[in-house]
Amino acid sequence: MNTIVSASILGADICHLGEALDKLRTWQIDMVHFDVMDGVFVPNISFGIPMLSAVRRHTKLFLDVHLMITDPLRYVSAFAKAGADRITFHLESSSDPRATLEAIRQTGRQAGIAIKPGT
């Protein structure tokens, strides 16, 4: 069984994000996990499309984007264009799951569905 190591940038020091991304490559990290929170679907607010675009310009590592947002379907294309390699959204979001999966597939990105523990 292969082990895949994914590092979340949620806890990174944003002032030194480029340096942190460079270290991930030397540490043989397989992918960067990018949590997107809108302050509505979940109470926290995190990164958005401009940050993802900046990260993509800095690294060739696989970018695993986890959308914890109310209406992921609305943003699929923008996150794909910004550099996501995989886009995961929550089943509990307001977007139609089939339509959201299809939209992700149409961008050529990998698709994933996350499910809250209560579900």
Side-chain angles (χ1 to χ4, degrees):
M1 185 166 131
N2 292 337
T3 301
I4 296 173
V5 179
S6 178
S8 174
I9 66 166
L10 191 58
D13 179 346
I14 299 304
C15 290
H16 301 282
L17 186 55
E19 295 167 28
L21 289 167
D22 292 342
K23 286 179 184 178
L24 295 180
R25 186 178 294 160
T26 64
W27 294 340
Q28 300 180 346
I29 300 298
D30 299 297
M31 67 178 72
V32 176
H33 186 79
F34 196 90
D35 287 305
V36 179
M37 296 178 262
D38 64 3
V40 178
F41 186 74
V42 295
N44 295 331
I45 297 174
S46 68
F47 318 112
I49 296 161
M51 176 73 87
L52 177 63
S53 182
V55 168
R56 172 47 69 212
R57 286 191 306 272
H58 190 85
T59 186
K60 294 189 184 309
L61 287 169
F62 187 94
L63 298 180
D64 179 33
V65 176
H66 178 193
L67 301 179
M68 292 179 272
I69 62 177
T70 303
D71 188 9
L73 180 57
R74 179 177 174 190
Y75 297 99
V76 163
S77 177
F79 277 101
K81 287 177 185 172
D85 293 303
R86 177 183 318 147
I87 301 172
T88 300
F89 67 97
H90 275 268
L91 182 64
E92 301 88 354
S93 74
S94 64
S95 295
D96 176 78
R98 288 182 196 260
T100 306
L101 283 171
E102 183 58 31
I104 296 169
R105 289 184 185 127
Q106 287 179 0
T107 69
R109 303 314 191 269
Q110 292 180 13
I113 297 177
I115 303 170
K116 289 182 176 183
T119 301

